[in-house]
Amino acid sequence: MTFDTIIRGGTVATASDTFQCDVGIAGGKIAALGADLGAAKEIVDARGRLVLPGGIDSHVHLSQPSAPGIVMADDFASGTKAAAFGGNTMVLPFAMQQKGESLREVVKQYHAKADGQCYVDVSFHLIIADATERVLGQELPALVNDGYTSFKVFMTYEGLALSDMEMLNVMSVARETGALVMVHAENYDAIRFLTDRLERAGKTAPHYHAASRPIAVEREATHRAISLSEIVDVPIMVVHVSNREAMEEIRRAQQRGLKIYGETCPQYLVLTEQDLQGLNMEGTKYVCSPPPRDKASQQACWEGMQQGVFSLYSSDHCPFKYDDPHGKLAPKGRTSFRWVPNGIPGVETRLPILFSEGVGKGRITLNEFVALTATNHAKTYGLYPKKGTIAVGSDADIAIWDPKREVTISQSLMHGGCDYTPYEGIKVTGWPVSTLVRGQFVVRDGELAGKPGSGAYVPREKSPLAVPRARSAWE
Ligand code: URP
Ligand code: ZN
Ligand code: ZN
């Protein structure tokens, strides 16, 4: 057989094994693994390199509308280009419903934004902001059937927060349709109460964002989300967990046999609340929710990954420019932290940070790295084994890494639409040098090789994790 490409001489790692072998690619798929595979149109020399499944970042925000006057820094072209340079072959952004909108229409709009623009493969989660009877009874079941098999619900944010009743209704539809619910767990009323009190006391600088969302806010909502999911008997994924207390809520639920899953992100491993204290308004560069905490919380998030409480490590890439009238400092005249758009960029730096801080410093194995960054995302969101592994028959979604390259993270190295990185100055060892999506180079030796349209939309199967434990009380 003549392959399109053979990646020769590298060290291949999956979520379970590490081995020396060549990878034969034909028709966009991995066609053979082994030695002496024979002829190919192109031989890629991977000696001294790691050959890993391309990262799947299952939590990114692209082209999402925000408050009036504020514009997200990445569209599907710039965000997926940055993803490719960061060693990712697929991202899962959100199609976000706003109050009064039809979910089906929203999905159409996001397809229009993404079609022909993407450098890596994409698939959408849905954000449910308006849990009307029509959405619950008709649109959601039909959309799950069409491959939109996961939805996010928010317990906070103006215009997005669902009541407990609405959460229960959405969870119930997830149970009936086999979809997976992702939960943003923060107590909205508590945040509003604290924000009002802080503002009344004149405490409006960016770092008070963290004071307005203390750990108790996240812990309480995490506990409540778990309780609601237990009542409905439906699995949930608690996203962007930032601290020990929330992590322990998830661990306890798992130990009780509940199907509760957890995700953490780089900002909770390497940033702290201190970063929000920058001079002038620099702290806005780190405003995200939940906020980065302290060193003890970082340690808890590492433990959560090491002990399997968290199965996913995602970026929660949600970029707003800093030095821009539509970014972190808009809208003008509104100086309180309350108005700073929540979210930070991270799709390009997610993998090097975990590789260096995790694998490089002996906190996790290379195989755990692959699981946390690719394989578990594919398994969780109905993409496995098409995506997320290096195996015969899987899509040839591959990142080739130089495990020894030393890089100081800097905005000058970034390829997305944002004008800063919150990880500026962090030194890492290990960097993705080439990224192939379905066998085609999108990044080759650090240079762009793909184009808008190199990435495609991928409908998903139902998550194998989203299976209830038993019949519910009312069935
Ligand atoms: O601050 C954050 N995380 N913004 C992104 C939206 C979300 O809640 O994931
Ligand atoms: Zn969220
Ligand atoms: Zn998010």
Side-chain angles (χ1 to χ4, degrees):
M1 170 175 190
T2 301
F3 297 95
D4 296 327
T5 308
I6 292 176
I7 302 173
R8 181 173 286 170
T11 300
V12 175
T14 67
S16 54
D17 299 295
T18 306
F19 42 93
Q20 299 291 319
C21 87
D22 300 345
V23 180
I25 298 170
K29 304 251 177 221
I30 296 169
L33 297 170
D36 304 322
L37 292 182
K41 290 178 200 145
E42 178 174 14
I43 305 286
V44 177
D45 181 3
R47 284 173 298 170
R49 304 283 197 239
L50 292 174
V51 179
L52 307 182
I56 300 175
D57 194 340
S58 63
H59 188 154
V60 307
H61 304 265
L62 301 175
S63 275
Q64 248 181 242
S66 192
I70 293 169
V71 179
M72 196 163 265
D74 271 320
D75 57 17
F76 280 84
S78 61
T80 57
K81 190 202 289 180
F85 275 99
N88 299 284
T89 50
M90 181 160 191
V91 297
L92 278 74
F94 296 87
M96 186 182 80
Q97 181 197 30
Q98 292 177 287
K99 287 251 189 282
E101 288 183 332
S102 142
L103 255 187
R104 179 62 79 175
E105 281 307 312
V106 167
V107 167
K108 275 193 199 148
Q109 287 163 20
Y110 277 82
H111 275 292
K113 296 184 204 201
D115 283 356
Q117 298 301 308
C118 298
Y119 287 82
V120 301
D121 284 352
V122 297
S123 192
F124 299 149
H125 308 289
L126 309 174
I127 288 177
I128 317 295
D130 206 1
T132 61
E133 270 182 35
R134 182 178 163 78
V135 165
L136 295 168
Q138 294 173 30
E139 293 198 317
L140 272 180
L143 285 162
V144 174
N145 245 353
D146 292 347
Y148 306 90
T149 54
S150 46
F151 7 104
K152 183 171 177 190
V153 291
F154 287 81
M155 299 172 82
T156 186
Y157 289 137
E158 185 73 33
L160 285 176
L162 299 189
S163 68
D164 289 354
M165 182 68 169
E166 289 167 327
M167 295 262 295
L168 288 162
N169 280 331
V170 172
M171 286 180 181
S172 177
V173 174
R175 180 188 158 86
E176 281 157 23
T177 58
L180 187 62
V181 181
M182 308 159 76
V183 181
H184 178 128
E186 287 186 298
N187 181 315
Y188 183 41
D189 282 338
I191 293 166
R192 288 198 300 174
F193 169 83
L194 289 167
T195 301
D196 285 347
R197 294 297 159 112
L198 286 162
E199 283 185 343
R200 274 194 237 165
K203 296 179 172 174
T204 57
H207 66 91
Y208 289 111
H209 171 76
S212 75
R213 312 173 98 99
I215 285 174
V217 159
E218 187 182 343
R219 183 197 63 221
E220 184 281 328
T222 303
H223 182 90
R224 186 156 37 100
I226 291 168
S227 302
L228 299 180
S229 88
E230 185 176 4
I231 289 162
V232 177
D233 182 25
V234 70
I236 57 167
M237 169 66 65
V238 184
V239 293
H240 46 48
V241 180
S242 72
N243 67 88
R244 181 171 300 280
E245 294 183 25
M247 187 270 277
E248 295 290 1
E249 291 288 343
I250 297 168
R251 191 211 301 274
R252 266 194 298 281
Q254 291 171 346
Q255 285 170 344
R256 287 200 295 120
L258 300 180
K259 293 188 174 186
I260 307 296
Y261 304 99
E263 173 204 76
T264 193
C265 312
Q267 50 270 41
Y268 309 120
L269 301 181
V270 297
L271 302 179
T272 69
E273 196 178 328
Q274 289 292 106
D275 290 304
L276 278 87
Q277 303 232 358
L279 276 180
N280 302 320
M281 295 300 275
E282 291 274 326
T284 59
K285 292 180 176 176
Y286 303 89
V287 167
C288 60
S289 296
R293 309 287 184 185
D294 56 10
K295 292 273 174 203
S297 298
Q298 291 180 350
Q299 175 56 25
C301 290
W302 282 109
E303 283 175 33
M305 288 194 293
Q306 289 161 337
Q307 297 167 9
V309 180
F310 301 144
S311 46
L312 300 184
Y313 165 80
S314 311
S315 68
D316 192 8
H317 178 80
C318 185
F320 299 97
K321 286 186 183 174
Y322 177 68
D323 191 8
D324 187 275
H326 304 294
K328 284 284 188 182
L329 306 181
K332 290 280 167 256
R334 289 182 149 172
T335 50
S336 166
F337 65 86
R338 179 200 288 265
W339 304 109
V340 177
N342 282 206
I344 60 177
V347 73
E348 194 167 353
T349 44
R350 171 184 79 121
L351 296 178
I353 288 171
L354 189 68
F355 186 88
S356 187
E357 289 293 317
V359 182
K361 296 194 175 165
R363 290 171 164 128
I364 57 170
T365 65
L366 180 60
N367 309 105
E368 286 167 337
F369 172 83
V370 172
L372 284 160
T373 59
T375 315
N376 291 352
H377 298 255
K379 287 183 173 172
T380 301
Y381 293 117
L383 291 160
Y384 187 83
K386 179 179 167 65
K387 303 284 188 189
T389 192
I390 294 183
V392 172
S394 295
D395 282 358
D397 290 349
I398 290 170
I400 302 177
W401 284 68
D402 179 348
K404 298 209 169 92
R405 183 168 302 182
E406 293 181 7
V407 176
T408 302
I409 294 176
S410 152
Q411 177 56 21
S412 62
L413 301 176
M414 300 290 109
H415 297 85
C418 206
D419 61 352
Y420 79 96
T421 166
Y423 305 106
E424 186 77 35
I426 292 181
K427 290 184 171 44
V428 293
T429 303
W431 199 258
V433 291
S434 296
T435 306
L436 294 89
V437 175
R438 284 172 282 103
Q440 300 295 319
F441 279 95
V442 177
V443 175
R444 188 183 198 122
D445 297 326
E447 299 293 332
L448 187 64
K451 54 183 189 330
S454 296
Y457 188 83
V458 183
R460 287 177 288 124
E461 304 290 324
K462 290 177 184 172
S463 168
L465 275 54
V467 178
R469 289 179 313 148
R471 293 175 74 77
S472 70
W474 63 84
E475 283 175 324

